[in-house]
Amino acid sequence: MLMIADIDIVLLRTFVAIVETNGLTSAGKKVGRTQPAITHQIKRLEENLGRPLFGRDRRNLTLTRDGEIFLGYARNLLRINDEIRARFSAPMIEGHVKLGMPDLYAPYLLPGILGSFARAHPGIQVELMCTRSVHLHAALQREEIDIALMTNQPEFRGGDTVRLEKLVWVTGPMTDLEIEEPLPLALMPPGSVLRQRALESLDRLGRKWLITSVCDSVAGLRASVLAGLAISVFPECAVTSELRILGKAEGLPNLPSIEIVLYRSAKRISAVAEHLAQYIAAEFAQVEVYPGIELSRRF
């Protein structure tokens, strides 16, 4: 039985950087290595594993089947390695933070980030408030929460953009509501950026619409869509397997992306809250590089 040597974390980071940046040169810039050094590291990694991770054409890099499988392991190992570094290099701090985020994103974007933060900083208690961005903005002004991740709106000021989120039209798996005239819609209440973007896009296309469901939460929108009452607009991160995405082929316009912005309370926040804010921003910066890579495609 062939036993491979322990895998060098540096080689794993180089391998993942190639996938995330779509090339050897760009990966070298990310990890601080020259292109020949990157090529040498990948050769070492493949020799250690005894399997090719990339196809033979180095100009048009594609993952082999073994490379696709290895990518998942590599990302998990790097995540654990980075959690260990964060846990044992960070000062032992304790405290309480109130974090806000709309339920449009919270169940899909936060669990991994907050889970790793909790493991790295077990002395920090995070209290989560899920509501619409407009309500979170008001809560920040009243100093009821420390930090919030919100959909950016023209009337908001300040904040740091941490993610661009694509918007998509969604319907139930067995419905053809997209052919109806006027188009039945399930949307957030007035003031919602998603509602505004949807209606403006339809108006530019000259498509007639009718709002048949108004829901204040993603759960209500999902229920309306799955019941076959209407189509809706979701952030792409919230699209699950029971929903069907619609687009130009179904006569619907493309939708602009929205900005997810990190805001801090109007008052000076605690060191603990600032630590969480910086951790979230850093995690989003890493995720944004590969928001949904398909392993079998050329990259």
Side-chain angles (χ1 to χ4, degrees):
M1 181 178 177
L2 178 65
M3 296 294 291
I4 67 172
D6 289 340
I7 299 172
D8 189 339
I9 288 291
V10 173
L11 301 184
L12 292 179
R13 205 172 295 280
T14 296
F15 171 70
V16 172
I18 293 172
V19 176
E20 292 176 359
T21 61
N22 300 343
L24 299 176
T25 301
S26 51
K29 293 178 180 178
K30 183 172 183 179
V31 300
R33 297 284 193 280
T34 63
Q35 182 173 334
I38 293 293
T39 302
H40 177 67
Q41 287 183 333
I42 292 303
K43 182 180 179 181
R44 281 179 54 201
L45 184 58
E46 291 179 328
E47 288 175 350
N48 287 349
L49 295 172
R51 307 280 181 88
L53 300 176
F54 296 100
R56 294 182 179 277
D57 185 356
R58 294 302 188 184
R59 291 186 176 182
N60 300 311
L61 288 171
T62 56
L63 288 173
T64 63
R65 180 57 184 160
D66 286 323
E68 293 175 358
I69 295 171
F70 185 70
L71 179 61
Y73 287 117
R75 283 178 170 157
N76 285 334
L77 287 170
L78 286 175
R79 175 184 56 78
I80 294 170
N81 176 77
D82 293 344
E83 282 187 15
I84 293 172
R85 292 175 60 189
R87 175 66 179 85
F88 289 96
S89 64
M92 293 297 293
I93 54 178
E94 297 181 349
H96 180 267
V97 185
K98 293 183 178 180
L99 168 67
M101 190 174 191
D103 72 342
L104 277 169
Y105 321 119
Y108 314 102
L109 298 180
L110 276 187
I113 293 176
L114 291 185
S116 60
F117 182 82
R119 290 187 289 272
H121 305 284
I124 299 178
Q125 180 185 1
V126 180
E127 180 181 342
L128 186 61
M129 173 190 289
C130 289
T131 186
R132 289 176 56 200
S133 295
V134 64
H135 302 316
L136 292 173
H137 188 261
L140 283 170
Q141 299 304 308
R142 294 192 299 266
E143 301 180 359
E144 295 173 355
I145 56 178
D146 300 303
I147 55 178
L149 288 158
M150 303 186 295
T151 306
N152 202 22
Q153 301 189 36
E155 63 269 25
F156 296 170
R157 295 291 182 268
D160 303 314
T161 300
V162 295
R163 181 183 177 95
L164 293 178
E165 183 67 29
K166 183 179 178 182
L167 296 181
V168 293
W169 300 97
V170 294
T171 187
M174 304 300 292
T175 63
D176 55 0
L177 297 175
E178 64 272 17
I179 67 174
E180 294 192 8
E181 193 76 17
L183 186 70
L185 299 175
L187 298 174
M188 289 281 188
S192 162
V193 172
L194 275 68
R195 175 189 176 112
Q196 179 183 348
R197 298 281 171 84
L199 299 183
E200 287 176 349
S201 297
L202 290 172
D203 288 342
R204 282 195 296 268
L205 188 64
R207 184 76 187 268
K208 294 181 180 180
W209 49 266
L210 176 66
I211 298 176
T212 60
S213 302
V214 177
C215 306
D216 205 24
S217 70
V218 68
L221 294 176
R222 189 182 301 275
S224 295
V225 168
L226 293 178
L229 301 178
I231 71 170
S232 188
V233 173
F234 275 29
E236 191 173 42
C237 67
V239 177
T240 50
S241 59
E242 74 270 21
L243 298 173
R244 182 165 61 94
I245 294 178
L246 305 173
K248 282 190 172 182
E250 293 78 22
L252 294 173
N254 289 334
L255 293 163
S257 297
I258 55 174
E259 294 180 333
I260 300 179
V261 180
L262 177 65
Y263 285 89
R264 293 162 173 83
S265 170
K267 69 174 182 179
R268 182 179 177 84
I269 63 175
S270 68
V272 172
E274 180 60 33
H275 192 72
L276 175 59
Q278 293 183 15
Y279 188 93
I280 290 173
E283 288 295 303
F284 271 115
Q286 294 181 41
V287 170
E288 192 61 28
V289 176
Y290 50 99
I293 189 169
E294 298 174 12
L295 303 183
S296 60
R297 67 167 174 84
R298 170 183 160 185
F299 58 88

